[in-house]
């Protein structure tokens, strides 16, 4: 049975079914989930039937596409409704994204079809909803990993009519807003559930531990903490992928999701004012009016996600240099991405296709824009085709005039793993480079280019799918050393300058190439007969020699096997000594404290082991994870700077992330 064939189940439905099991049945739950996954599934309208055995059927009723009530899961066995089958089916099904109905939810006119692609790609759009007595609706979409969703929360709701923020009538400034007692309690429950997962590791975080996370996530969303609740659902999704052996699962993604969950839950109690708004998060991104815009096309990129969505995203720039996107992403695969590229853009009265818009222009009136630059396409939006601009002409030429180091720092602020999700900024870089040739790396071959200031930049394919043109185009460009190109790429955070190559000027100097959609030919190269050229080995930068990986691997090692795996390491003096020699004393102290906390087990007066300090261990692990991310981003920023200066990226010096009270 493929879990995708089951309808999404509301988090509190799964939690309630698991909590209703007897202790004996809870121990059998994980085995029941595996056994049920091998049974046939049939869908008839809103009802999905699982054949438990030759005589017993289990039904999931999903009006609107989501199982929103406990009573919607029924089983025909003799032990029902107290059987293990109902809970096992809920645990095997995708988790529905629960969405409170906030007053600031964008209207259909403000969001429109163009906003739907953003929500579809992040698991936050599309699909009918079912009303629940607790004023919660559920979307018929499974959560996707945190690396695809964690920046879509935005900030808290916009202030409504009334006095200006921070002021009360006939009074002085009001004290900053703080979390309510209910919100603190919900955050504490999320922290406890996340710490329990960290204690047990992936191997021990079965259906019971996941149901505790789902219950805490549901409570947090009801208490208006959507950012932490979303992180909890992402952790559950990644845990299920890890335990099922999903080839797309990556331990680093679960590390990020767990650190986001624990860090956000910890900050709820101390955050005030605007920080509290960011910690709370926003369920849906708002689309706000932006008047009239004159837009110039840059390029179009295919979008194919692990969550089963396909389409395209076209990037345009305003007269002031701001970047915007117009997309069309929906459930589908690479075939849909290739087909949608030649469909008309759903924006106003324009008849341009996405490919054409990437090289033309638009004049838009009544524009609506989300914080991350997505253009809405409501009824009030009017758009007509206008003249575009070459990359060497204003206003587009100004994008390439910003120094690469500044562009990289801006992109890192946009992609930082633990930054408050304000939804602003872009991870694109605009560079003038000279191609040097291919470079062999452990993960494959990439294209080496020389950027401004003599900084070597590694260019990789955005997608290896042979149906897309990325890989073949990169191989052809490797056969054109000394060719100078104007390129657009997406930053890859690494210890050396690295980009996924998305678009470039044509090697002949005329026009541009969308490297995922347009295919270069050998005749387009300056020397059509030249074979692929391999550049000489490049010296490793200072970031590549950093011993930070010694701390990072211990942080990652905890997630699959839990605290016990770290507690058995023994003496880590040699590792901490090497880290100190590398100039990272805070990292050395964190590694020592983390391993000591993992190994610490106290005994009572009778010599019996006392329960482990899961809270203390989780705090040290969180500090180590946040510190490692901050230092990695600073090393990445320094790699793009010819002077080698390390700049803070995540809002403060890396050492600030080392406090266990994060």
């Amino acid at each position: 049975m493929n879990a995708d064939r089951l309808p999404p189940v509301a988090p509190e439905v799964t939690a309630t079914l698991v909590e209703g099991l007897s202790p004996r049945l809870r121990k059998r739950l994980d085995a029941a989930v595996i056994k049920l996954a091998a049974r046939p599934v049939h869908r008839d309208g809103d009802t999905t039937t699982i054949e438990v055995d030759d005589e017993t059927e289990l039904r999931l009723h999903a009006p609107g596409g989501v199982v929103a009530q406990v009573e919607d899961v029924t089983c025909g066995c003799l032990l029902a409704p107290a059987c293990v089958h109902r809970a096992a089916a809920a645990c095997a099904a995708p988790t529905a994204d629960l969405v409170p109905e906030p007053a600031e939810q964008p209207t259909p006119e403000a969001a429109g079809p163009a906003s739907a692609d953003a929500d579809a790609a992040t698991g936050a759009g599309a699909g009918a909803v079912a009303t629940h007595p607790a004023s919660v609706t559920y979307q018929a979409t499974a959560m996707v990993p945190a690396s695809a969703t964690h920046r879509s929360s935005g900030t808290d709701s916009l202030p409504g009519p009334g006095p200006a923020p921070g002021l009360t009538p006939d009074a002085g400034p009001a004290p900053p807003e703080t979390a309510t007692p209910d919100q603190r309690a919900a955050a504490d429950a999320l922290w406890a559930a996340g710490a329990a997962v960290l204690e047990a590791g992936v191997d021990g975080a079965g259906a019971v531990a996941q149901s505790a996370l789902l219950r805490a996530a549901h409570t947090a969303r009801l208490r208006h903490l959507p950012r932490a609740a979303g992180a909890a659902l992402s952790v559950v999704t990644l845990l299920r992928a890890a335990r099922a052996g999903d080839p797309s699962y990556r331990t680093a993604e679960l590390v990020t999701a767990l650190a986001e969950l624990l860090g956000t839950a910890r900050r709820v109690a101390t955050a005030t004012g605007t920080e509290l708004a960011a910690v709370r998060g926003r369920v849906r991104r708002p689309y706000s009016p932006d008047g009239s815009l004159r837009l110039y096309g840059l390029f179009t990129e295919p979008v194919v996600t692990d969550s089963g969505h396909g389409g395209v995203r076209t990037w345009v720039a305003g007269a002031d240099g701001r970047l915007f996107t117009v997309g069309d992403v929906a459930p589908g695969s690479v075939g849909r991405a290739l087909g949608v590229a030649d469909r008309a853009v759903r924006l106003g009265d324009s008849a341009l296709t996405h490919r054409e818009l990437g090289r033309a222009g638009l004049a838009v009136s009544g524009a609506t824009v989300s914080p991350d630059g997505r253009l809405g396409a409501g009824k009030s939006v009017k758009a007509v085709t206008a003249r575009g601009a070459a990359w060497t002409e204003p206003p587009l030429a100004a994008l390439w005039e910003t120094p690469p180091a500044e562009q990289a720092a801006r992109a890192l602020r946009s992609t930082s793993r633990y930054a408050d999700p304000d939804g602003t900024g872009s991870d694109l870089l605009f560079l003038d480079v000279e191609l040097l040739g291919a470079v062999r790396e452990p993960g494959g071959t990439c294209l080496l280019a020389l950027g401004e200031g003599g900084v070597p930049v590694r260019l990789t394919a955005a997608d290896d799918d042979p149906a897309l043109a990325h890989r073949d185009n990169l191989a052809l460009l490797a056969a054109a050393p000394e060719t100078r190109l104007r390129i657009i790429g997406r930053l890859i955070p690494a210890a050396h300058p690295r980009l996924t190559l998305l678009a470039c000027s044509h090697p002949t100097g005329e026009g541009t190439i969308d490297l995922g959609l347009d295919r270069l030919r050998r005749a387009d190269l300056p020397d059509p007969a030249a074979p692929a050229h391999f550049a000489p080995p490049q010296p490793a930068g200072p970031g590549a020699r950093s011993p930070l990986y010694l701390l990072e691997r211990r942080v990652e090692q905890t997630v699959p096997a839990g605290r016990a795996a770290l507690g058995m390491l023994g003496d880590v003096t040699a590792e901490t000594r090497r880290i100190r020699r590398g100039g990272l004393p805070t990292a050395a102290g964190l590694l020592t404290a983390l391993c000591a906390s993992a190994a610490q087990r106290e005994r009572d007066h009778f010599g019996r082991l006392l329960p482990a300090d899961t809270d203390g261990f989780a705090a040290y692990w969180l500090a180590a994870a946040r510190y490692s991310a901050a230092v990695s981003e600073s090393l990445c920023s320094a790699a793009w700077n010819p002077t080698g200066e390390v700049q803070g990226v995540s809002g403060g010096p890396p050492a600030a992330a080392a406090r266990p009270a994060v």
Side-chain angles (χ1 to χ4, degrees), residues 106-140:
T107 64
E109 292 184 0
S115 67
D117 81 278
D119 293 337
T122 58
V129 295
T131 304
H132 186 271
S135 296
V136 178
T137 57
Y138 303 93
Q139 303 211 344

Side-chain angles (χ1 to χ4, degrees), residues 146-243:
S147 62
T149 64
H150 86 283
R151 300 197 58 79
S152 65
S153 297
T155 56
D156 199 19
S157 58
L158 299 174
L167 296 177
T168 57
D170 302 323
E177 182 185 10
T178 59
T180 66
D182 284 346
Q183 288 177 332
R184 293 193 183 96
D188 289 343
L190 284 169
W191 171 274
V197 169
L198 195 62
E199 173 76 14
V202 170
D203 295 339
V208 175
Q210 294 167 25
S211 72
L213 269 173
L214 293 175
R215 172 64 69 191
H218 175 66
T219 303
R221 195 64 72 93
L222 292 177
R223 301 293 182 265
H224 307 293
L225 298 174
R227 177 179 174 183
L233 296 183
S234 293
V235 170
V236 171
T237 300
L238 289 166
L239 283 173
R240 291 178 176 177
R243 293 174 63 86

Side-chain angles (χ1 to χ4, degrees), residues 60-129:
L60 291 85
H61 184 55
V66 175
V67 179
Q69 305 281 356
V70 173
E71 295 77 12
D72 291 337
V73 184
T74 59
C75 183
C77 74
L78 296 177
L79 296 179
C83 63
V84 73
H85 303 132
R86 299 169 72 219
C91 292
T95 301
D97 182 20
L98 69 171
V99 181
E101 300 183 46
E104 74 275 11
Q105 190 173 4
T107 64
E109 292 184 0
S115 67
D117 81 278
D119 293 337
T122 58
V129 295

